[in-house]
Amino acid sequence: MRTRRFDGPPDERRQGAIIPVGVRSPKRHAGHYGREALPLVLLPGNLTAADGRLLVFPIMRALFPGSFDPVTQGHQDVLRRAALLFDEVVVCVMFNASKTGRLPVEERLERLRAAAAGLGNVTVDSHTGGLLVDYCRQAGIDVVVRGVRGVRDLDYEMPMARMNHELAGVETFFIAADPALAHISSTLVTAVGQQDRVPEG
């Protein structure tokens, strides 16, 4: 069983429900036992409730998908912030049929690994043969992280978020882009890069 260390004083320890091993998702703790079991977090110290039952917490995993063609400073910022919010983050290159790929998938993966350097709870992967919800089912992930730069991004993301929830119960967690980076997109980085210039921010 994987464990998470907690170094705070006892009165500041995270409080939570007593979670059975068979629970698939934190949002389904009450009365719903899924087929897949999440790995659980065991906190050191006083691990029992008043009635002697063991206190355990599921590891929260999130998927940060995208074409990442190429990776931008905005992507790096969202990834860094997501890594602070979730126990594990999988950043995944997804195939986007509406976009013409500029960089080979392997090069995008290498750039993502460089962007994730120093983030110990981040892993890099790719999924180019199916839907996003297919990957989530296979990996046992219930949360998707998306960065949004403004209303236009949100209008684009909301229908997909609703579809992912309807198809597989996958929730979407939106992270607002840093205003200093909100003007940067993969398309802009590529266009500027072709002229040997780097966008500010």
Side-chain angles (χ1 to χ4, degrees):
M1 180 182 292
R2 282 176 288 179
T3 62
R4 174 173 50 187
R5 181 176 179 80
F6 186 91
D7 295 320
D11 59 342
E12 293 181 5
R13 287 196 176 97
R14 174 182 172 185
Q15 300 298 312
I18 297 171
I19 301 173
V21 173
V23 172
R24 180 174 182 271
S25 165
K27 64 179 178 291
R28 302 188 181 114
H29 287 166
H32 184 97
Y33 292 78
R35 292 181 181 177
E36 305 106 350
L38 280 175
L40 298 176
V41 175
L42 194 61
L43 298 179
N46 183 9
L47 299 176
T48 57
D51 59 2
R53 288 179 293 174
L54 186 66
L55 292 174
V56 289
F57 298 87
I59 290 178
M60 290 294 295
R61 304 181 71 219
L63 176 70
F64 179 28
S67 56
F68 302 110
D69 189 23
V71 181
T72 69
Q73 292 172 300
H75 293 143
Q76 289 180 273
D77 179 63
V78 171
L79 179 59
R80 177 188 59 80
R81 290 158 65 188
L84 293 173
L85 294 169
F86 295 92
D87 297 305
E88 296 180 4
V89 178
V90 179
V91 56
C92 187
V93 174
M94 310 290 291
F95 175 75
N96 189 334
S98 68
K99 294 184 179 180
T100 302
R102 293 178 284 260
L103 297 176
V105 170
E106 189 54 44
E107 184 173 347
R108 300 184 219 176
L109 292 172
E110 287 299 321
R111 294 189 181 198
L112 280 174
R113 293 186 187 103
L119 301 176
N121 61 335
V122 172
T123 57
V124 176
D125 201 0
S126 64
H127 181 67
T128 57
L131 298 175
L132 180 148
V133 293
D134 295 331
Y135 185 94
C136 289
R137 287 192 186 107
Q138 294 167 10
I141 293 175
D142 288 321
V143 180
V144 169
V145 171
R146 299 296 290 166
V148 290
R149 291 167 293 184
V151 175
R152 182 179 295 182
D153 280 356
L154 200 57
D155 286 344
Y156 175 80
E157 295 289 346
M158 285 301 294
M160 292 191 292
R162 294 189 188 102
M163 180 183 68
N164 292 336
H165 185 267
E166 289 297 319
L167 290 176
V170 173
E171 302 288 358
T172 301
F173 188 94
F174 294 111
I175 295 181
D178 183 334
L181 303 174
H183 66 289
I184 299 176
S185 67
S186 294
T187 301
L188 176 62
V189 169
T190 299
V192 174
Q194 290 172 347
Q195 300 181 29
D196 297 322
R197 297 177 59 189
V198 178
E200 295 180 1

